[in-house]
Amino acid sequence: MSMTSRLFRRAALSVCAFLLGGFLFAATYLPISDAELAQRSPVVVRAHVDSVAARLETLSGRTLPMTIVRLQALEVLRGRLPDSNFRLILSGGHVGDRVLWVPGTPSLQAGQEAILFLRPVPGRRSDYFLSEFGLSHFDIRSDAEGRRFAVRPVFSAEEDAYLSKLEPTLTPSQPGSAPLLRDASSLVAAVKAVAAGHRPPEVFYARPIGGVGAMGPIRPLWVNIGGREPGNCGGTPCLFRWFWDTAASPNGVVTISGTQSNLSDSSNGTPTVQNAVNQWHGVVASDVRYSGPAAGGNVSIQLDAPSSFDGGVAFNTPLPCGSGGVLGLGGPQSGPAPIGGLTFKGDANYFPVVSGTVTMRIRTGPAGCYDVAVFLSGVLHEMGHTLGLGHPDTGQSTHSTTTAADWSGAVMKSVIPASHPSTPQTDDIQAIQYYYGTGVIPTPTPTLSVTPTRTPTGISGTPRGHVTPLHFVTPKPNVNGRS
């Protein structure tokens, strides 16, 4: 059974990151079809991973730990490579005493095969970023019968179908059923057609026989941006919270730089930022000390940003209206903490948040082309990350008690609902009440019809998520049509 394209409904999806003792980033996406992704990517390549290593890289004036993936091209599907060997730069890594952890960033391992949608790093030969971050990485995985599938490991199959505009709503799959996954050869054929200027053929989907490795299911429970408790990242604390109650954190004052252009309500973005401040500050039975916007502050909201705050890894070009891809980047900055971190409600390994940054990507097109409802939800979501909230569908707190019905409406889900909520929802509110509550909060009784599967968040012992190793693929000399 194949999946057919349906009406595009805009939503957003996020990926988070943090630098211990530095900035914690989060990227936000809009859905994009495979064909549009190919059209927006200067280079698309099927490649073999030779090695993966972390090192410090200086990008756009910022020196940060990055993961450097060295690859050999097996087949260039679109564009050209100057050499068959090239490097992919990904946010995150552990270099000496500097750690940048990116829970939603793609992770590759030596020996595997992947399809990558790329954009060149300015001024660097044979260095590339992913064109639209997590949307631009497909692992090649085989089922028990040897059929090859192209899998986006960052997302669950349900999220991937929604983000690819194949499904109008995000619907959990039936328990026990194998997910529908892209046939790898049909994705390759579609990209080649786009490269040749032809109408791309349909990308076929099928259910793998015997599975293709771990893929995260949709889970409905809130989580810290640093992952699930106890928050021990290989001996390093990695949970985040504003410690207003102990004076380890200053009050959060929101400030705005720039104006957001092309919003459909003709506003400049300030009312949307004001809404986010009001909504998080106003969560019932909580003490969220956010105020503003003001002329100066420690929570900076940068509108019409030309590049992302991580040195341009997430984005460094405008996003045209009507196109999917990365919408923004943001998150908190932590202050220092003692060995073992600070303790909150019996859990150690917390860093105190001292400031935050949100960068919202510039969108180009005719006046009013940027749906303000999408922008509003995106800003609300990103500001939730500055408060220490993570993605409930990529990890879950041991303290969560919300129900399965709450997953579909949470502002902080990696895929923001098509309803574009303008206020925190049930799951988000419980998270805020847990971290910043002012009294005894009634605990809902769980009524789960299906028990969510608890899976590793990739924070224990390593700053990277795990990807199932794949079989070795022998490189073939088929680069840019040369034999």
Side-chain angles (χ1 to χ4, degrees):
M1 174 180 173
S2 64
M3 302 175 71
T4 57
S5 297
R6 295 178 182 161
L7 179 65
F8 167 49
R9 294 185 183 181
R10 277 172 270 186
L13 182 148
S14 300
V15 175
C16 316
F18 66 77
L19 174 64
L20 299 181
F23 291 93
L24 165 56
F25 306 115
T28 306
Y29 300 87
L30 294 178
I32 185 170
S33 68
D34 293 346
E36 183 185 351
L37 180 62
Q39 290 167 349
R40 286 185 53 80
S41 303
V43 176
V44 184
V45 62
R46 184 172 63 86
H48 170 262
V49 178
D50 289 333
S51 66
V52 181
R55 59 174 291 174
L56 294 178
E57 289 281 335
T58 300
L59 300 165
S60 300
R62 291 182 56 81
T63 301
L64 297 170
M66 296 286 170
T67 295
I68 308 302
V69 184
R70 296 183 181 275
L71 304 104
Q72 181 174 355
L74 304 176
E75 185 179 12
V76 174
L77 309 177
R78 174 177 168 84
R80 295 185 63 84
L81 290 175
D83 303 293
S84 61
N85 295 308
F86 65 99
R87 300 195 323 160
L88 174 64
I89 300 177
L90 299 172
S91 288
H94 187 175
V95 182
D97 61 353
R98 302 191 65 181
V99 179
L100 176 66
W101 180 54
V102 190
T105 240
S107 179
L108 293 97
Q109 293 186 355
Q112 76 174 87
E113 183 183 351
I115 296 175
L116 304 169
F117 293 69
L118 306 172
R119 56 188 166 94
V121 178
R124 295 196 185 190
R125 178 185 173 91
S126 298
D127 280 3
Y128 293 87
F129 296 137
L130 292 170
S131 62
E132 296 295 341
F133 211 41
L135 294 171
S136 298
H137 163 225
F138 295 82
D139 280 347
I140 301 298
R141 301 185 182 183
S142 299
D143 68 5
E145 295 188 352
R147 183 167 186 176
R148 288 156 58 87
F149 293 88
V151 176
R152 275 186 181 132
V154 171
F155 313 121
S156 70
E158 302 97 330
E159 291 165 337
D160 187 41
Y162 187 37
L163 287 168
S164 301
K165 302 185 182 180
L166 297 169
E167 292 291 344
T169 59
L170 184 61
T171 305
S173 59
Q174 292 299 316
S177 64
L180 284 166
L181 303 178
R182 286 175 185 79
D183 174 81
S185 61
S186 68
L187 177 61
V188 167
V191 173
K192 287 182 175 180
V194 169
H198 301 150
R199 181 176 180 177
E202 180 181 6
V203 175
F204 292 104
Y205 284 70
R207 299 188 190 278
I209 305 301
V212 293
M215 294 186 65
I218 291 176
R219 293 178 292 275
L221 307 177
W222 58 266
V223 72
N224 190 275
I225 195 168
R228 188 181 183 191
E229 298 84 8
N232 186 335
C233 297
T236 303
C238 54
L239 298 175
F240 291 83
R241 175 182 180 267
W242 291 79
F243 279 81
W244 293 310
D245 48 347
T246 67
S249 299
N251 289 348
V253 179
V254 175
T255 186
I256 301 174
S257 61
T259 58
Q260 198 70 33
S261 56
N262 294 329
L263 292 175
S264 60
D265 66 348
S266 300
S267 69
N268 62 5
T270 296
T272 301
V273 175
Q274 184 71 70
N275 174 75
V277 175
N278 294 347
Q279 294 301 329
W280 290 120
H281 173 72
V283 171
V284 64
S286 73
D287 181 24
V288 175
R289 302 182 189 179
Y290 269 17
S291 63
N298 55 358
V299 181
S300 173
I301 313 297
Q302 300 170 13
L303 305 181
D304 263 2
S307 64
S308 56
F309 199 61
D310 61 344
V313 177
F315 66 86
N316 63 4
T317 59
L319 181 67
C321 282
S323 297
V326 181
L327 192 65
L329 191 82
Q333 180 183 5
S334 68
I339 296 174
L342 301 182
T343 298
F344 175 69
K345 292 186 177 180
D347 289 322
N349 297 312
Y350 274 92
F351 275 98
V353 177
V354 297
S355 63
T357 302
V358 172
T359 53
M360 300 302 294
R361 189 176 186 178
I362 186 172
R363 301 204 77 184
T364 57
C369 68
Y370 193 169
D371 188 343
V372 71
V374 173
F375 180 72
L376 185 149
S377 286
V379 172
L380 184 67
H381 180 110
E382 297 298 346
M383 200 172 289
H385 282 309
T386 70
L387 289 167
L389 303 189
H391 299 143
D393 51 320
T394 57
Q396 60 194 60
S397 169
T398 58
H399 308 292
S400 301
T401 61
T402 45
T403 69
D406 295 324
W407 74 269
S408 60
V411 168
M412 296 310 300
K413 281 187 78 286
S414 61
V415 179
I416 294 177
S419 58
H420 310 313
S422 59
T423 64
Q425 302 299 297
T426 301
D427 191 74
D428 314 304
I429 290 170
Q430 188 192 88
I432 291 294
Q433 290 173 339
Y434 177 80
Y435 289 126
Y436 306 109
T438 56
V440 178
I441 308 300
T443 300
T445 301
T447 56
L448 301 180
S449 57
V450 178
T451 302
T453 302
R454 295 182 182 270
T455 60
T457 60
I459 66 172
S460 180
T462 173
R464 296 316 245 151
H466 174 73
V467 176
T468 303
L470 303 179
H471 64 280
F472 186 90
V473 179
T474 303
K476 298 178 181 179
N478 186 26
V479 178
N480 297 328
R482 300 191 300 269
S483 298

